[in-house]
Amino acid sequence: MISKLKSTIWFLQRPHLYPQMFHLLKMKFYPDKEYTRSDVTDWCNNNSTLRNEVFEKVLGKLDLKEVEALFPQIFEEAQKKADDCQIFMGGPGDLTLLYHLSKQSKTQYAIETGVAFGWSSLAILLGIKDQDSSKLISIDMPYVQGNNEPYVGSIVPEALRKNWTLLRQADRQGLPKALKMVPYLDLCHYDSDKSYYGRRWAYPKLWEALKTGGIFISDDIQDNWAFKEFCEDVNRKPQIVEFDTKYVGIIQK
């Protein structure tokens, strides 16, 4: 009860997040679709492949190098900023995957949902930095009661921020706004609301904005059946990569 009261007070102090507060209240009456997580994980595992094979199928054969090895000083400074923060916001995902997909596909316009420290933002920004007038729009809602607002995206160096716009909103407010800021998408990376209904709401909107040949990436697809069902909806066979006991799903339009 005390925790719920604190969450309510936290939202009331942030009027720009009132729509998300009302959405969360509404979802109390619409629980997530039932599923067995082990079944979803088994499906991911049975359909997963090696990262190099994914690149070859999507972009052709590449000589891959870990992004941390390509930019050692940038990542050393980023890790120091993350280590100095007293608030835990999770670690990086498969940054090499994000970097090479955004770079080799010559991404001009990208949207990501979910930022935290900004590891994925950093990888994508490094991948698009040589593209003229490239743009990454990131959407992130602060952790409820987390007091992490000052640290969202904090590891992204100033030199890369000219290509970056950070919207500090929940998906249902930030995503429609972000989509109006670009003519189309070359790449999208979903890593925010992990609920079944959250994904089923956002996936189609991102997919519609993707140009033909554009790349759709979703983290943590083992959480529920949303990604599998969406692939069936758009008639695409996914490429699935295991990373740190979790799964990343990729489809190309």
Side-chain angles (χ1 to χ4, degrees), residues 97-118:
L97 181 78
L98 288 174
Y99 168 75
H100 284 290
L101 284 176
S102 57
K103 180 176 177 61
Q104 300 302 328
S105 65
K106 300 187 185 313
T107 291
Q108 187 80 37
Y109 301 112
I111 284 178
E112 68 165 343
T113 68
V115 178
F117 278 127

PDB file of all heavy atoms in Angstrom, residues 97-118:
ATOM      1  N   LEU A  97      25.863  -5.875 -32.194  1.00  0.00           N
ATOM      2  CA  LEU A  97      24.759  -6.132 -33.120  1.00  0.00           C
ATOM      3  C   LEU A  97      24.128  -4.813 -33.566  1.00  0.00           C
ATOM      4  O   LEU A  97      23.940  -4.563 -34.771  1.00  0.00           O
ATOM      5  CB  LEU A  97      23.714  -7.015 -32.446  1.00  0.00           C
ATOM      6  CG  LEU A  97      22.498  -7.409 -33.271  1.00  0.00           C
ATOM      7  CD1 LEU A  97      22.844  -8.530 -34.230  1.00  0.00           C
ATOM      8  CD2 LEU A  97      21.340  -7.839 -32.383  1.00  0.00           C
ATOM      9  N   LEU A  98      23.802  -3.948 -32.616  1.00  0.00           N
ATOM     10  CA  LEU A  98      23.170  -2.668 -32.945  1.00  0.00           C
ATOM     11  C   LEU A  98      24.088  -1.790 -33.779  1.00  0.00           C
ATOM     12  O   LEU A  98      23.647  -1.143 -34.745  1.00  0.00           O
ATOM     13  CB  LEU A  98      22.779  -1.928 -31.663  1.00  0.00           C
ATOM     14  CG  LEU A  98      21.600  -2.491 -30.874  1.00  0.00           C
ATOM     15  CD1 LEU A  98      21.448  -1.731 -29.560  1.00  0.00           C
ATOM     16  CD2 LEU A  98      20.320  -2.403 -31.681  1.00  0.00           C
ATOM     17  N   TYR A  99      25.355  -1.758 -33.416  1.00  0.00           N
ATOM     18  CA  TYR A  99      26.307  -0.907 -34.141  1.00  0.00           C
ATOM     19  C   TYR A  99      26.423  -1.325 -35.601  1.00  0.00           C
ATOM     20  O   TYR A  99      26.275  -0.500 -36.514  1.00  0.00           O
ATOM     21  CB  TYR A  99      27.681  -0.966 -33.467  1.00  0.00           C
ATOM     22  CG  TYR A  99      28.771  -0.346 -34.313  1.00  0.00           C
ATOM     23  CD1 TYR A  99      28.878   1.039 -34.440  1.00  0.00           C
ATOM     24  CD2 TYR A  99      29.679  -1.146 -35.014  1.00  0.00           C
ATOM     25  CE1 TYR A  99      29.863   1.614 -35.239  1.00  0.00           C
ATOM     26  CE2 TYR A  99      30.664  -0.586 -35.804  1.00  0.00           C
ATOM     27  CZ  TYR A  99      30.752   0.795 -35.918  1.00  0.00           C
ATOM     28  OH  TYR A  99      31.720   1.364 -36.708  1.00  0.00           O
ATOM     29  N   HIS A 100      26.667  -2.592 -35.834  1.00  0.00           N
ATOM     30  CA  HIS A 100      26.890  -3.039 -37.212  1.00  0.00           C
ATOM     31  C   HIS A 100      25.612  -2.999 -38.049  1.00  0.00           C
ATOM     32  O   HIS A 100      25.665  -2.675 -39.242  1.00  0.00           O
ATOM     33  CB  HIS A 100      27.500  -4.438 -37.221  1.00  0.00           C
ATOM     34  CG  HIS A 100      28.959  -4.455 -36.875  1.00  0.00           C
ATOM     35  ND1 HIS A 100      29.920  -3.949 -37.721  1.00  0.00           N
ATOM     36  CD2 HIS A 100      29.616  -4.894 -35.776  1.00  0.00           C
ATOM     37  CE1 HIS A 100      31.115  -4.089 -37.159  1.00  0.00           C
ATOM     38  NE2 HIS A 100      30.961  -4.657 -35.979  1.00  0.00           N
ATOM     39  N   LEU A 101      24.468  -3.307 -37.444  1.00  0.00           N
ATOM     40  CA  LEU A 101      23.224  -3.225 -38.201  1.00  0.00           C
ATOM     41  C   LEU A 101      22.942  -1.783 -38.634  1.00  0.00           C
ATOM     42  O   LEU A 101      22.527  -1.535 -39.771  1.00  0.00           O
ATOM     43  CB  LEU A 101      22.059  -3.770 -37.386  1.00  0.00           C
ATOM     44  CG  LEU A 101      21.964  -5.290 -37.255  1.00  0.00           C
ATOM     45  CD1 LEU A 101      20.816  -5.679 -36.337  1.00  0.00           C
ATOM     46  CD2 LEU A 101      21.794  -5.957 -38.617  1.00  0.00           C
ATOM     47  N   SER A 102      23.167  -0.831 -37.737  1.00  0.00           N
ATOM     48  CA  SER A 102      22.900   0.560 -38.085  1.00  0.00           C
ATOM     49  C   SER A 102      23.947   1.104 -39.055  1.00  0.00           C
ATOM     50  O   SER A 102      23.613   1.866 -39.972  1.00  0.00           O
ATOM     51  CB  SER A 102      22.840   1.434 -36.826  1.00  0.00           C
ATOM     52  OG  SER A 102      24.028   1.335 -36.078  1.00  0.00           O
ATOM     53  N   LYS A 103      25.196   0.698 -38.903  1.00  0.00           N
ATOM     54  CA  LYS A 103      26.260   1.202 -39.782  1.00  0.00           C
ATOM     55  C   LYS A 103      26.179   0.590 -41.178  1.00  0.00           C
ATOM     56  O   LYS A 103      26.185   1.307 -42.187  1.00  0.00           O
ATOM     57  CB  LYS A 103      27.633   0.913 -39.177  1.00  0.00           C
ATOM     58  CG  LYS A 103      28.797   1.416 -40.040  1.00  0.00           C
ATOM     59  CD  LYS A 103      30.127   1.189 -39.366  1.00  0.00           C
ATOM     60  CE  LYS A 103      31.278   1.633 -40.274  1.00  0.00           C
ATOM     61  NZ  LYS A 103      31.223   3.086 -40.609  1.00  0.00           N
ATOM     62  N   GLN A 104      26.109  -0.728 -41.240  1.00  0.00           N
ATOM     63  CA  GLN A 104      26.169  -1.396 -42.536  1.00  0.00           C
ATOM     64  C   GLN A 104      24.895  -1.174 -43.360  1.00  0.00           C
ATOM     65  O   GLN A 104      24.931  -1.244 -44.583  1.00  0.00           O
ATOM     66  CB  GLN A 104      26.419  -2.893 -42.346  1.00  0.00           C
ATOM     67  CG  GLN A 104      27.721  -3.222 -41.632  1.00  0.00           C
ATOM     68  CD  GLN A 104      28.952  -2.654 -42.343  1.00  0.00           C
ATOM     69  OE1 GLN A 104      28.974  -2.545 -43.558  1.00  0.00           O
ATOM     70  NE2 GLN A 104      29.969  -2.294 -41.572  1.00  0.00           N
ATOM     71  N   SER A 105      23.775  -0.902 -42.700  1.00  0.00           N
ATOM     72  CA  SER A 105      22.541  -0.612 -43.426  1.00  0.00           C
ATOM     73  C   SER A 105      22.449   0.861 -43.826  1.00  0.00           C
ATOM     74  O   SER A 105      21.466   1.276 -44.431  1.00  0.00           O
ATOM     75  CB  SER A 105      21.325  -0.989 -42.578  1.00  0.00           C
ATOM     76  OG  SER A 105      21.250  -0.160 -41.420  1.00  0.00           O
ATOM     77  N   LYS A 106      23.499   1.628 -43.460  1.00  0.00           N
ATOM     78  CA  LYS A 106      23.541   3.070 -43.758  1.00  0.00           C
ATOM     79  C   LYS A 106      22.281   3.783 -43.242  1.00  0.00           C
ATOM     80  O   LYS A 106      21.620   4.549 -43.964  1.00  0.00           O
ATOM     81  CB  LYS A 106      23.725   3.309 -45.257  1.00  0.00           C
ATOM     82  CG  LYS A 106      25.002   2.706 -45.816  1.00  0.00           C
ATOM     83  CD  LYS A 106      25.219   3.114 -47.250  1.00  0.00           C
ATOM     84  CE  LYS A 106      26.426   2.419 -47.859  1.00  0.00           C
ATOM     85  NZ  LYS A 106      27.644   2.418 -47.055  1.00  0.00           N
ATOM     86  N   THR A 107      21.977   3.522 -42.001  1.00  0.00           N
ATOM     87  CA  THR A 107      20.782   4.094 -41.377  1.00  0.00           C
ATOM     88  C   THR A 107      20.826   5.618 -41.354  1.00  0.00           C
ATOM     89  O   THR A 107      21.803   6.218 -40.894  1.00  0.00           O
ATOM     90  CB  THR A 107      20.642   3.554 -39.939  1.00  0.00           C
ATOM     91  OG1 THR A 107      20.316   2.167 -40.002  1.00  0.00           O
ATOM     92  CG2 THR A 107      19.564   4.297 -39.170  1.00  0.00           C
ATOM     93  N   GLN A 108      19.761   6.208 -41.842  1.00  0.00           N
ATOM     94  CA  GLN A 108      19.608   7.657 -41.827  1.00  0.00           C
ATOM     95  C   GLN A 108      18.721   8.091 -40.660  1.00  0.00           C
ATOM     96  O   GLN A 108      19.041   9.015 -39.931  1.00  0.00           O
ATOM     97  CB  GLN A 108      18.992   8.125 -43.141  1.00  0.00           C
ATOM     98  CG  GLN A 108      18.941   9.638 -43.302  1.00  0.00           C
ATOM     99  CD  GLN A 108      20.269  10.234 -43.735  1.00  0.00           C
ATOM    100  OE1 GLN A 108      20.968   9.634 -44.525  1.00  0.00           O
ATOM    101  NE2 GLN A 108      20.612  11.379 -43.193  1.00  0.00           N
ATOM    102  N   TYR A 109      17.591   7.378 -40.494  1.00  0.00           N
ATOM    103  CA  TYR A 109      16.639   7.715 -39.440  1.00  0.00           C
ATOM    104  C   TYR A 109      16.347   6.482 -38.596  1.00  0.00           C
ATOM    105  O   TYR A 109      16.008   5.418 -39.121  1.00  0.00           O
ATOM    106  CB  TYR A 109      15.330   8.227 -40.043  1.00  0.00           C
ATOM    107  CG  TYR A 109      15.491   9.451 -40.906  1.00  0.00           C
ATOM    108  CD1 TYR A 109      15.280   9.384 -42.285  1.00  0.00           C
ATOM    109  CD2 TYR A 109      15.856  10.680 -40.349  1.00  0.00           C
ATOM    110  CE1 TYR A 109      15.431  10.511 -43.081  1.00  0.00           C
ATOM    111  CE2 TYR A 109      16.001  11.806 -41.142  1.00  0.00           C
ATOM    112  CZ  TYR A 109      15.791  11.715 -42.513  1.00  0.00           C
ATOM    113  OH  TYR A 109      15.942  12.838 -43.293  1.00  0.00           O
ATOM    114  N   ALA A 110      16.479   6.652 -37.292  1.00  0.00           N
ATOM    115  CA  ALA A 110      16.257   5.535 -36.365  1.00  0.00           C
ATOM    116  C   ALA A 110      15.477   6.017 -35.154  1.00  0.00           C
ATOM    117  O   ALA A 110      15.577   7.179 -34.744  1.00  0.00           O
ATOM    118  CB  ALA A 110      17.585   4.933 -35.921  1.00  0.00           C
ATOM    119  N   ILE A 111      14.695   5.096 -34.594  1.00  0.00           N
ATOM    120  CA  ILE A 111      13.988   5.342 -33.331  1.00  0.00           C
ATOM    121  C   ILE A 111      14.288   4.175 -32.406  1.00  0.00           C
ATOM    122  O   ILE A 111      14.319   3.016 -32.834  1.00  0.00           O
ATOM    123  CB  ILE A 111      12.467   5.463 -33.540  1.00  0.00           C
ATOM    124  CG1 ILE A 111      12.113   6.830 -34.141  1.00  0.00           C
ATOM    125  CG2 ILE A 111      11.701   5.283 -32.224  1.00  0.00           C
ATOM    126  CD1 ILE A 111      10.625   7.020 -34.419  1.00  0.00           C
ATOM    127  N   GLU A 112      14.530   4.489 -31.148  1.00  0.00           N
ATOM    128  CA  GLU A 112      14.650   3.449 -30.130  1.00  0.00           C
ATOM    129  C   GLU A 112      13.729   3.793 -28.978  1.00  0.00           C
ATOM    130  O   GLU A 112      13.511   4.962 -28.658  1.00  0.00           O
ATOM    131  CB  GLU A 112      16.092   3.294 -29.636  1.00  0.00           C
ATOM    132  CG  GLU A 112      16.587   4.489 -28.846  1.00  0.00           C
ATOM    133  CD  GLU A 112      17.858   4.213 -28.050  1.00  0.00           C
ATOM    134  OE1 GLU A 112      18.200   3.026 -27.835  1.00  0.00           O
ATOM    135  OE2 GLU A 112      18.507   5.196 -27.636  1.00  0.00           O
ATOM    136  N   THR A 113      13.179   2.762 -28.349  1.00  0.00           N
ATOM    137  CA  THR A 113      12.365   2.962 -27.147  1.00  0.00           C
ATOM    138  C   THR A 113      13.103   2.300 -25.989  1.00  0.00           C
ATOM    139  O   THR A 113      13.491   1.142 -26.075  1.00  0.00           O
ATOM    140  CB  THR A 113      10.966   2.348 -27.300  1.00  0.00           C
ATOM    141  OG1 THR A 113      11.067   0.919 -27.357  1.00  0.00           O
ATOM    142  CG2 THR A 113      10.291   2.841 -28.565  1.00  0.00           C
ATOM    143  N   GLY A 114      13.302   3.046 -24.916  1.00  0.00           N
ATOM    144  CA  GLY A 114      14.073   2.546 -23.779  1.00  0.00           C
ATOM    145  C   GLY A 114      15.508   3.016 -23.888  1.00  0.00           C
ATOM    146  O   GLY A 114      16.186   2.741 -24.888  1.00  0.00           O
ATOM    147  N   VAL A 115      15.986   3.738 -22.879  1.00  0.00           N
ATOM    148  CA  VAL A 115      17.323   4.331 -22.951  1.00  0.00           C
ATOM    149  C   VAL A 115      18.191   3.949 -21.760  1.00  0.00           C
ATOM    150  O   VAL A 115      19.316   3.481 -21.928  1.00  0.00           O
ATOM    151  CB  VAL A 115      17.244   5.876 -23.047  1.00  0.00           C
ATOM    152  CG1 VAL A 115      18.632   6.495 -23.074  1.00  0.00           C
ATOM    153  CG2 VAL A 115      16.464   6.289 -24.300  1.00  0.00           C
ATOM    154  N   ALA A 116      17.668   4.178 -20.533  1.00  0.00           N
ATOM    155  CA  ALA A 116      18.469   3.991 -19.307  1.00  0.00           C
ATOM    156  C   ALA A 116      19.774   4.792 -19.431  1.00  0.00           C
ATOM    157  O   ALA A 116      19.739   5.965 -19.768  1.00  0.00           O
ATOM    158  CB  ALA A 116      18.716   2.521 -19.047  1.00  0.00           C
ATOM    159  N   PHE A 117      20.929   4.175 -19.192  1.00  0.00           N
ATOM    160  CA  PHE A 117      22.191   4.912 -19.281  1.00  0.00           C
ATOM    161  C   PHE A 117      22.460   5.415 -20.696  1.00  0.00           C
ATOM    162  O   PHE A 117      23.167   6.398 -20.895  1.00  0.00           O
ATOM    163  CB  PHE A 117      23.368   4.031 -18.851  1.00  0.00           C
ATOM    164  CG  PHE A 117      23.554   3.951 -17.359  1.00  0.00           C
ATOM    165  CD1 PHE A 117      23.616   2.723 -16.730  1.00  0.00           C
ATOM    166  CD2 PHE A 117      23.680   5.098 -16.586  1.00  0.00           C
ATOM    167  CE1 PHE A 117      23.799   2.638 -15.352  1.00  0.00           C
ATOM    168  CE2 PHE A 117      23.860   5.022 -15.211  1.00  0.00           C
ATOM    169  CZ  PHE A 117      23.917   3.785 -14.591  1.00  0.00           C
ATOM    170  N   GLY A 118      21.950   4.692 -21.693  1.00  0.00           N
ATOM    171  CA  GLY A 118      22.184   5.105 -23.070  1.00  0.00           C
ATOM    172  C   GLY A 118      23.140   4.217 -23.837  1.00  0.00           C
ATOM    173  O   GLY A 118      23.718   4.641 -24.841  1.00  0.00           O
TER     174      GLY A 118
END
